C-alpha cells in the first residue's frame, strides 16, 4: 500500500495553448477520477496572445477542479510556475507543460513514486521529442545544472515533476526576476528521484523555448544561483598571469645570454591580443554579476497577477 497524496495541485503554465487546454483538463480530471484522488488544476496564463485566458475562464466555470491565474504579462515559464506553486492548496504539487507532450495519464507514475517516501520525483522521458536543436539545448542546460550548481540529478530534470508542497517553504521569501524551480527545490531537499515516462510529439503550435531562450536561461541560472563563472574567470586570469611570467622570464633569459631582446612583432602582438581577450572575458563575467545586483536593487517582481478566476462554492478547498 502506498500513502494517499491527499489533495493534488496540478500546476500548468499556459502560453498560447488554446487548442490543447480543453483536452488537457478533461484527461487530467479523468485520471484523478480513476484514482479516486482529489485534485485541483491551476492554469497560469503567462501573457498568452491567443484566447487561452478566455478558455481558462470557461473551464474554471464548468469544472470545479479548475482554477485560473492571469499574469500581467509574459514573465517566463518558471516564473509562472512559481506563481502557481504559491497559490496551490494541495499537499502534493505536480507541474507539467500545456502542450500534451507529457500525457496526463503518466501523472500516477510520479505520484506512486513520490508515495515511496521521496521529496521530489521527475518524469524523465525515455526520448525527448522537442526537435534536434531543442533536445541538444536541453542537454546543455542539464550539464550547466550539474557542473555549475553541483546538482547531481540534473540529467533527470524535466518540467514534468511532482513534489511535496512543504518544500516551497524553503523559497517562500524568494523574489527575483530570474527563477529556476529546479534550483529552488535543491534549497529544500536532496531527496530526488525519477521515473521513465512517455513523451509525445507536440500536438499543435510551436514551443516558446527557442535555442536562444534556452541558452539565455542557462546563463541566467549560472549567474543568478552560482559563483562558478567568477571562479572560472579567476582561474583563467591566474593561468595567463603564470603564462606571462614564463614569457617574461624567457625574454629576460634571452637578453642576459645574448645581450639582445626577443625579436618578433608578431609574437608580441599575439601575447597582447591574448591578454586583452582574457581581460575582456573576465570583465564580461563580472559585468553579468553586476547586472544581476542592479536588477535585484530594482526590486523587480517574479510575477504580477492581473486576474484570477473566482472560487466556486463547490470547488475543492
Amino acid at each position: 500500500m502506498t500513502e494517499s497524496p491527499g489533495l493534488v495541485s496540478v500546476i500548468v503554465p499556459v502560453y498560447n495553448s488554446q487548442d490543447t487546454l480543453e483536452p488537457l483538463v478533461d484527461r487530467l480530471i479523468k485520471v484523478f477520477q480513476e484514482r479516486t484522488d482529489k485534485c485541483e488544476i491551476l492554469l497560469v496564463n503567462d501573457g498568452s496572445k491567443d484566447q487561452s485566458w478566455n478558455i481558462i475562464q470557461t473551464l474554471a466555470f464548468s469544472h470545479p477542479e479548475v482554477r485560473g491565474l492571469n499574469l500581467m504579462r509574459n514573465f517566463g515559464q518558471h516564473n509562472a510556475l512559481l506563481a502557481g506553486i504559491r497559490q496551490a492548496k494541495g499537499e502534493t504539487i505536480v507541474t507539467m507543460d500545456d502542450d500534451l507532450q507529457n500525457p496526463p495519464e503518466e501523472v500516477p507514475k510520479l505520484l506512486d513514486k513520490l508515495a515511496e517516501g521521496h521529496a521530489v520525483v521527475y518524469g524523465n522521458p525515455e526520448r525527448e521529442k522537442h526537435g534536434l536543436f531543442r533536445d541538444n539545448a536541453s542537454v546543455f542546460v542539464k550539464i550547466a545544472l550539474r557542473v555549475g550548481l553541483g546538482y547531481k540529478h540534473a540529467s533527470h530534470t524535466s518540467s514534468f515533476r511532482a513534489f511535496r508542497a512543504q518544500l516551497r517553504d524553503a523559497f517562500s521569501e524568494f523574489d527575483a526576476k530570474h527563477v529556476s524551480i529546479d534550483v529552488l527545490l535543491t534549497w529544500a531537499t536532496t531527496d530526488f528521484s525519477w521515473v521513465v515516462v512517455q513523451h509525445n510529439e507536440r500536438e499543435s503550435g510551436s514551443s516558446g523555448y527557442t535555442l536562444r531562450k534556452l541558452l539565455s536561461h542557462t546563463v541566467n541560472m549560472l549567474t543568478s544561483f552560482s559563483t562558478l563563472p567568477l571562479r572560472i574567470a579567476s582561474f583563467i586570469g591566474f593561468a595567463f598571469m603564470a603564462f606571462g611570467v614564463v614569457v617574461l622570464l624567457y625574454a629576460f633569459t634571452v637578453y642576459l645570454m645574448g645581450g639582445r631582446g626577443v625579436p618578433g612583432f608578431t609574437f608580441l602582438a599575439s601575447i597582447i591580443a591574448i591578454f586583452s581577450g582574457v581581460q575582456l572575458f573576465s570583465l564580461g563575467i563580472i559585468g553579468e554579476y553586476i547586472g544581476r545586483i542592479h536588477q535585484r536593487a530594482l526590486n523587480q517582481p517574479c510575477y504580477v497577477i492581473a486576474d484570477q478566476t473566482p472560487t466556486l462554492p463547490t470547488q475543492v478547498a
Side-chain angles (χ1 to χ4, degrees):
M1 290 290 291
T2 57
E3 62 175 306
S4 171
L7 175 62
V8 179
S9 296
V10 182
I11 315 296
V12 184
V14 176
Y15 183 72
N16 294 344
S17 299
Q18 60 182 16
D19 297 328
T20 58
L21 288 176
E22 291 187 29
L24 172 63
V25 167
D26 290 340
R27 289 166 63 179
L28 278 171
I29 290 175
K30 182 179 179 181
V31 165
F32 282 96
Q33 286 176 342
E34 291 176 352
R35 284 180 58 92
T36 66
D37 289 329
K38 294 181 179 180
C39 79
E40 67 165 352
I41 303 170
L42 192 50
L43 304 174
V44 185
N45 183 44
D46 188 26
S48 297
K49 295 178 175 61
D50 60 5
Q51 296 299 310
S52 292
W53 177 239
N54 291 333
I55 294 174
I56 290 172
Q57 290 177 301
T58 302
L59 289 169
F61 182 77
S62 57
H63 298 285
E65 300 91 348
V66 177
R67 296 166 56 204
L69 294 179
N70 188 31
L71 302 188
M72 289 285 288
R73 62 172 179 82
N74 179 255
F75 285 89
Q77 181 188 45
H78 286 256
N79 300 61
L81 278 172
L82 184 60
I85 289 169
R86 287 176 171 167
Q87 293 283 326
K89 298 178 180 178
E91 293 88 358
T92 300
I93 295 175
V94 174
T95 69
M96 62 189 303
D97 291 338
D98 57 357
D99 52 16
L100 291 174
Q101 288 193 275
N102 295 125
E105 293 76 18
E106 297 287 82
V107 169
K109 290 184 180 180
L110 273 65
L111 297 178
D112 291 342
K113 188 68 174 179
L114 194 72
E116 295 177 7
H118 301 289
V120 182
V121 174
Y122 283 100
N124 188 29
E126 188 170 6
R127 182 182 177 186
E128 292 185 328
K129 298 179 180 180
H130 294 299
L132 178 62
F133 290 110
R134 170 71 188 274
D135 290 346
N136 290 333
S138 295
V139 172
F140 182 74
V141 171
K142 292 174 181 179
I143 291 173
L145 271 171
R146 185 173 65 250
V147 177
L149 303 173
Y151 182 27
K152 64 181 180 179
H153 300 289
S155 59
H156 301 289
T157 59
S158 73
S159 58
F160 194 30
R161 56 175 85 78
F163 59 93
R164 302 182 186 278
Q166 62 262 38
L167 297 184
R168 64 187 169 192
D169 294 341
F171 47 88
S172 60
E173 301 298 322
F174 180 82
D175 188 22
K177 179 181 178 182
H178 300 294
V179 180
S180 172
I181 298 300
D182 301 305
V183 175
L184 295 181
L185 288 173
T186 66
W187 293 5
T189 183
T190 57
D191 184 8
F192 292 84
S193 188
W194 61 89
V195 291
V196 176
V197 295
Q198 182 180 344
H199 193 257
N200 296 333
E201 298 283 353
R202 190 179 180 94
E203 294 194 4
S204 65
S206 59
S207 174
Y209 263 122
T210 62
L211 177 62
R212 180 184 63 82
K213 287 185 177 180
L214 276 172
L215 294 177
S216 176
H217 176 63
T218 304
V219 172
N220 288 333
M221 279 196 307
L222 288 174
T223 54
S224 297
F225 299 101
S226 170
T227 59
L228 180 64
L230 286 176
R231 293 180 182 177
I232 291 176
S234 297
F235 288 140
I236 291 176
F238 179 80
F240 276 88
M241 181 186 71
F243 176 68
V245 171
V246 171
V247 172
L248 177 63
L249 291 175
Y250 169 73
F252 189 63
T253 302
V254 170
Y255 177 77
L256 289 178
M257 294 180 64
R260 58 183 179 83
V262 177
F265 172 78
T266 302
F267 175 78
L268 181 61
S270 300
I271 295 298
I272 293 175
I274 290 172
F275 276 85
S276 298
V278 171
Q279 288 176 336
L280 290 174
F281 175 74
S282 301
L283 286 174
I285 292 177
I286 295 171
E288 284 287 332
Y289 279 89
I290 293 174
R292 297 289 178 267
I293 295 171
H294 174 66
Q295 289 175 348
R296 292 299 296 269
L298 292 175
N299 200 27
Q300 293 176 285
C302 303
Y303 55 85
V304 180
I305 298 174
D307 192 14
Q308 55 186 307
T309 56
T311 302
L312 302 179
T314 57
Q315 203 161 26
V316 177

